[in-house]
Amino acid sequence: FMYVLIVYDAAVERVTKIHKLLKRFLNWRQNSVFEGELTESQIETIKNALRDIIDPETDSILLYVARDEKWLKREELG
């Protein structure tokens, strides 16, 4: 497994589709932010599905992938 953090900024008409897709695989942390453990195959599945949903001219998806959650330092304020 790999630890994945996905952050997205998409047009309003695509936000719900992206949210529903990511919620099937990851934990919802805040608006437009998901995280959790995935296999490489699941990561590829998500990336392919996102490519079908987004408009690359206006939408942005950031994927941060680490070998393990312990490689990330997370601080929460509020």
Side-chain angles (χ1 to χ4, degrees):
F1 285 97
M2 307 191 71
Y3 199 78
V4 179
L5 176 68
I6 298 180
V7 179
Y8 64 91
D9 183 14
V12 161
E13 59 269 17
R14 289 182 286 281
V15 168
T16 301
K17 284 184 179 182
I18 294 169
H19 182 92
K20 285 181 180 179
L21 168 70
L22 296 177
K23 198 167 183 177
R24 289 179 23 215
F25 294 92
L26 296 164
N27 301 311
W28 182 38
R29 294 293 295 168
Q30 336 183 298
N31 288 344
S32 305
V33 180
F34 285 81
E35 68 179 351
E37 289 186 329
L38 297 173
T39 64
E40 288 186 45
S41 174
Q42 288 172 316
I43 294 169
E44 289 305 313
T45 297
I46 289 171
K47 285 167 44 175
N48 288 331
L50 287 170
R51 284 185 190 106
D52 290 341
I53 295 170
I54 69 166
D55 176 352
E57 297 294 319
T58 59
D59 302 333
S60 173
I61 310 276
L62 301 175
L63 286 87
Y64 299 93
V65 181
R67 290 180 297 215
D68 193 291
E69 184 178 4
K70 69 182 179 183
W71 297 103
L72 296 175
K73 179 182 177 196
R74 176 182 36 220
E75 290 185 43
E76 291 186 35
L77 305 174

